[in-house]
Amino acid sequence: MINPISNSNQAPIGIFDSGVGGLSIAKCISQHLPNEQLIYIADTKFAPYGDKSTTIIQQRVNYLADRLINLNCKALVIACNTATVAAIDQLREQVSIPIIGVEPAIKPAAKLSKIKKIGILTTESTAKNSRFISLIQQHKQDTQIYIQPCPGLVELIEQNQLSSKKCETLLIKHLGELLNKEIDTLVLGCTHYPFLIDKIKAIVGKQIQIMETALPVTQQLKRQLEKHDLITTSQQLGTFCCYSSAFSTEQALLMSQLWQKNIDLQSL
Ligand code: DGL
């Protein structure tokens, strides 16, 4: 792992995910920190991370962090729950710039739940991860927590099949498991899932509160930048550079659609 070239406050913030999901985090960052320059990497060649081993995810995270540090990033955001639980601790041991991860909003969900029954949608890898399991243990005393892995969902989002029958069927199946447990709060434990929020709401109904993590992650990033005196002083709108480890025009289109603005996607 290389060391940061610069920690100037004009340097960009590096954000990455296994694919397009982390855009749900990047979008919130660009709204709340509009003058920051952002560099996003979609590691599409290795998506989904949800069916990969911890070793492979750690290798990918180290590689992507290296690339972003080479691009002079002043801070890194792991915009992926799966990569955060699998690799953030070992990355922090190697890198001195601030690293912000994404963890499912279990604590606020447990607080908010009136009947103390919450459900979490995650990838398979997150559901099995020991860091994630110990996070669950911390809140298990007074709250029943149901974990629902959702194999296949990330793949459908990556293939731009968000509005397909297949996607709806899969959501009904996974959410049905949690509805059977009579939860009143649902945590989205994968950064891809916020792009399905309207469909999720239509299935679970208004009585279930849905917890996302984009805003708390953005607030944590802001706190870290302030703490290290790294907030940009620029008054101009920041740029957004986007790379993919498996560039395709279809992906560029999908990312522009999710970003709601044209994205000039480049090959990593
Ligand atoms: N968006 C990611 C997450 O938050 C990764 C999903 C995947 O690649 O399986 O977990």
Side-chain angles (χ1 to χ4, degrees):
M1 184 71 58
I2 57 158
N3 284 312
I5 303 161
S6 145
N7 63 355
S8 141
N9 56 14
Q10 305 311 326
I13 297 164
I15 307 169
F16 62 91
D17 179 36
S18 63
V20 301
L23 287 179
S24 63
I25 304 286
K27 208 181 223 179
C28 189
I29 294 174
S30 96
Q31 280 161 357
H32 288 83
L33 300 167
N35 305 116
E36 296 290 346
Q37 305 203 56
L38 307 180
I39 301 179
Y40 184 90
I41 301 179
D43 194 18
T44 312
K45 198 171 170 186
F46 287 81
Y49 282 172
D51 64 4
K52 305 286 182 300
S53 68
T54 301
T55 312
I56 291 180
I57 298 171
Q58 287 181 351
Q59 283 167 0
R60 291 311 297 167
V61 165
N62 292 346
Y63 172 76
L64 298 171
D66 225 18
R67 294 293 299 255
L68 287 165
I69 290 168
N70 255 316
L71 291 168
N72 202 21
C73 287
K74 61 184 177 184
L76 299 179
V77 178
I78 307 180
C80 172
N81 295 260
T82 311
T84 299
V85 292
I88 197 167
D89 292 335
Q90 58 89 42
L91 185 65
R92 281 189 173 136
E93 279 168 20
Q94 304 177 64
V95 172
S96 55
I97 58 174
I99 301 170
I100 290 85
V102 181
E103 265 177 8
I106 298 168
K107 194 176 171 184
K111 231 176 164 176
L112 214 65
S113 172
K114 288 198 178 75
I115 56 167
K116 300 291 165 208
K117 275 185 178 188
I118 70 172
I120 309 171
L121 297 179
T122 68
T123 65
E124 282 179 293
S125 173
T126 300
K128 287 187 285 202
N129 181 275
S130 57
R131 195 177 199 272
F132 173 72
I133 291 166
S134 78
L135 190 67
I136 298 281
Q137 300 298 347
Q138 289 168 29
H139 302 282
K140 253 193 156 163
Q141 283 77 10
D142 61 347
T143 308
Q144 276 174 282
I145 305 175
Y146 301 99
I147 303 161
Q148 181 59 46
C150 304
L153 213 47
V154 165
E155 290 89 323
L156 289 175
I157 297 166
E158 289 292 323
Q159 293 158 11
N160 200 359
Q161 291 198 46
L162 292 92
S163 302
S164 67
K165 188 77 206 153
K166 226 171 162 180
C167 189
E168 193 190 356
T169 309
L170 208 56
L171 273 179
I172 291 172
K173 179 176 161 237
H174 294 315
L175 290 168
E177 298 284 339
L178 295 175
L179 290 174
N180 283 340
K181 307 280 194 283
E182 299 179 331
I183 59 160
D184 70 350
T185 308
L186 176 68
V187 178
L188 304 186
C190 169
T191 55
H192 279 72
Y193 303 160
F195 290 118
L196 295 172
I197 194 142
D198 292 341
K199 291 168 181 64
I200 294 173
K201 278 183 183 165
I203 296 167
V204 301
K206 283 199 182 98
Q207 66 283 4
I208 294 188
Q209 333 174 64
I210 302 178
M211 310 290 295
E212 293 183 57
T213 43
L215 189 58
V217 170
T218 303
Q219 289 165 337
Q220 174 64 2
L221 169 66
K222 188 163 178 268
R223 277 193 296 272
Q224 285 295 314
L225 293 177
E226 281 164 354
K227 182 176 161 195
H228 296 277
D229 202 15
L230 287 172
I231 289 270
T232 184
T233 49
S234 166
Q235 297 299 309
Q236 289 177 356
L237 268 191
T239 53
F240 183 59
C241 294
C242 221
Y243 297 91
S244 169
S245 59
F247 173 89
S248 71
T249 41
E250 289 79 12
Q251 188 184 22
L253 220 67
L254 169 63
M255 290 179 89
S256 300
Q257 199 179 301
L258 298 175
W259 192 250
Q260 292 167 319
K261 244 191 257 166
N262 190 42
I263 284 184
D264 180 21
L265 184 64
Q266 293 170 60
S267 195
L268 185 66

